[in-house]
Amino acid sequence: MAESTQPTIAEQAQDVASKLATTVAETLNFGDKVKDDIRSDLPVLYIDEKAGSDSTGSGAELSPFATPLTAYQSIKPSTESDPNPSSVATFLVRKADSVERNEWVEISASAKKKLVKSIGGWRKSEAKLAAEGDRLAKEKAAQEEKEKKRREEAKSIILVDDPSKESKKTKIYAVPELVGTRVRIQGWVHRFRPQKTNYFIVVRDGTAMLQCILTGDAIKTIDALDLTTESTVELVGTIEKVKEGQTAPGGVELMVDYWKIIGKAPGGSEAFEGRLSVDTDASIRADLRHLELRGETATSVMRVRALLLRAFRDSFYKRKITEVTPPCMVQTSVEGGSTLFEFDYYGAPAYLTQSSQLYLETVLPSLGDVYCIQESFRAEKSLTRRHLSEYTHLEAELVFIQFKDLLDHLEDMICEVVDTLLADPVSAEIIKTLNPEFTPPSRPFMRMDYRDAIKYLSEHGIKKEDGEDHVVGDDIAEAAERKMTDQINRPIMLIHFPKLLKAFYMQPLGEAPDFTESVDVLMPNVGEVVGGSMRITDYDTLMAAYKREGIPSDPYYWFTDQRKYGTTEHGGYGLGVERFLAWLLNRWTVRECSLYPRWMGRATP
């Protein structure tokens, strides 16, 4: 009987096991097998659409790209090279759902076709950009050559400041009276408009603005080519009236025959007009306050501020009220310790003053009625539009008066100063421009008792911050006070505040000793601009006030002595200059009304 050639069951089992082992090995080493099939002369680039990155990937197996086009671009092929991706690299993509097994396969034929199309589009874009770049480069070179030739020609044109021609050096404010006169002015280029045959330049020198006209050789010099906004210039020429139908500052203009740049301002990215605009962020505007002050609005506000202080000084002078200058470094408080700026004064604690009132009271017996205009400091952690950490405080103390006299004096001063400003052509024009709807406050001012104000707030649904109704004894918050003032829409003298809400030195109200002879003057759109009161005149009452407030009396001996050595009825007030200006010129925030405003977090520039 022939021997069987069929494999035994044991042999079949061994064969199956052998094939299974081979399959497993091939599966586990698939990546290595693919690598073995890759052309050794081409770079290998790995692409994983899910886990790769075109921005941070390098094309290595552990750092794949996300797209084939980026992988192709990474080898920086020349524009003349074969667009067939297989000719420049081997592109491997991870098999779907094989992150754990790390299986890579060569990019499919359809994907290659799509890549070839993407490469074509990319190369067209690159070619277009290159052509555009060449064009721009040629245009730039031509422009530079033209500018070089223009500057060479300009160097040959020299304006001569002829000493034989008489010229009167003057400030711009005076030129309207110098028509027909040859003058010499210096200033800053506020704006200029170059034309083919003329330059129209508006120059300012801090006193006024003047339109200057340059023509002929005056616009062909190197200085004419270099002229920029805010450059400092000197100009010489004849003052003429503007032609009928035309306008210019002051109604005159300067026909220039000689001029030069004294200090050139930068152009380009550093040009003045590029640093500030109406859309510039408020914090950047604060950083660039030194430049913003050159603008017409800021200049106008500062000019009215100066005229306002002069008007107050004139009104005080007319009333024989003497100006004094109390210290700003003190070792006692006026309004309480929570808003004091403390500093080390030769090893001892000292503070920036909150008010000069106490010092003003000490000179009443020698000088009579007195006032001061200087800075006060409040360390309030407040960022409202009407708060400053440093502000100009106009304060006055008046002797031998009653509470009604104080109210009448405040009303007279405010109205008189406003009338003065409206009578001045400079301030009147600025007020009309910045606050066209402004009307002088009508007299008499409304005088509202604090208790009536509480009633008004309740009746008109003006709530406290917690949503509750106001009650007597509440410190009326700024927002509620301003809302009431805006509704009434006229100046209000809010009087007779509770004693516990006011400073220790305020005189109690005779018929209601829990209230005081005090006043806040409130203006629409701003709120409080003046705070004042009659002062305690009785020694024992003042000592009791110290005790009630927990204030040691010894450091105030110089203030208390005013009640020992010839006491008398007196009262005073403090006016915030920035708030008054904000009301007068309709400024949104008091920060616009300070030269370099200081508020919480801001003490620069």
Side-chain angles (χ1 to χ4, degrees), residues 53 101 157-158 216 253 287 294 521 532 566:
S53 172
R101 296 194 303 275
I157 299 175
I158 307 296
E253 55 194 8
D287 289 337
R294 301 185 181 204
V521 180

Side-chain angles (χ1 to χ4, degrees), residues 519-541:
V519 58
D520 283 356
V521 180
L522 313 177
M523 292 296 186
N525 197 41
V526 176
E528 179 191 349
V529 296
V530 180
S533 76
M534 296 298 291
R535 317 309 192 188
I536 292 175
T537 59
D538 179 68
Y539 178 89
D540 292 334
T541 305

Side-chain angles (χ1 to χ4, degrees), residues 3 13 29 40 99 101 134 137 172 216 227 235 246 270 308-309 398 437 467 591 594:
E3 186 176 346
N29 295 290
S40 60
V99 175
R101 296 194 303 275
D134 290 342
I172 293 177
L227 188 62
L235 305 104
Q246 298 180 349
E270 283 291 298
L308 171 72
L309 295 178
L398 311 174
E437 297 182 2
R591 297 174 188 176
S594 173

Side-chain angles (χ1 to χ4, degrees), residues 8 12 23 36 44 110 159 167 192 207 209 214 221 250 272 280-281 304 343 373 390 449 451 485 520 550:
T8 66
Q12 291 178 15
T23 301
D36 291 340
V44 179
S110 62
L159 299 181
S167 62
F192 79 97
T207 68
M209 293 189 185
L214 282 61
T221 65
F272 178 86
T280 301
D281 183 81
V304 173
F343 64 95
I373 301 176
E390 176 185 10
D449 189 280
R451 288 157 288 190
T485 307
D520 283 356

